[in-house]
Amino acid sequence: EWLPWVEGNLDEVPKDKDKRKEFLRKSFIGYMSASPEQKKGLEKWYGKAKASKFKYAESFEVCEYGRQPSDEEIRTLFPMLKK
């Protein structure tokens, strides 16, 4: 719900709940569509078969300045990434 405020189009958001959901879905679906880079990462962590089923993804990037966690440490931080 904060995206329209950030984008500067808060005044365009409908008051009706169902219309508001549709507005947000149409307006911001591009933010969530999996990019080729995200799909590559999904394949690494979930396997090609499972990754091909994803429609949307939110990415997190390890900062290049600092310690780089190993894959095992990342699995500890994100336990849903099973081996």
Side-chain angles (χ1 to χ4, degrees):
E1 294 180 341
W2 57 271
L3 287 174
W5 179 78
V6 171
E7 292 291 320
N9 62 352
L10 187 59
D11 59 325
E12 298 173 27
V13 178
K15 300 293 182 203
D16 177 73
K17 182 180 178 180
D18 293 329
K19 289 180 182 178
R20 187 169 56 244
K21 285 182 180 180
E22 182 64 17
F23 169 83
L24 292 170
R25 188 185 67 75
K26 285 181 178 179
S27 299
F28 301 104
I29 202 77
Y31 286 112
M32 297 168 47
S33 297
S35 70
E37 293 82 10
Q38 288 171 314
K39 289 178 183 179
K40 189 176 178 182
L42 290 169
E43 287 178 9
K44 173 183 177 178
W45 296 107
Y46 292 98
K48 194 166 191 153
K50 195 170 183 180
S52 68
K53 296 178 183 178
F54 282 86
K55 282 185 161 183
Y56 311 108
E58 181 177 5
S59 296
F60 297 90
E61 184 176 356
V62 176
C63 180
E64 62 187 85
Y65 307 107
R67 193 175 69 75
Q68 300 295 302
S70 67
D71 286 358
E72 202 55 43
E73 289 173 306
I74 289 175
R75 283 191 176 91
T76 300
L77 294 169
F78 299 94
M80 73 291 270
L81 302 174
K82 299 174 184 173
K83 289 184 179 181

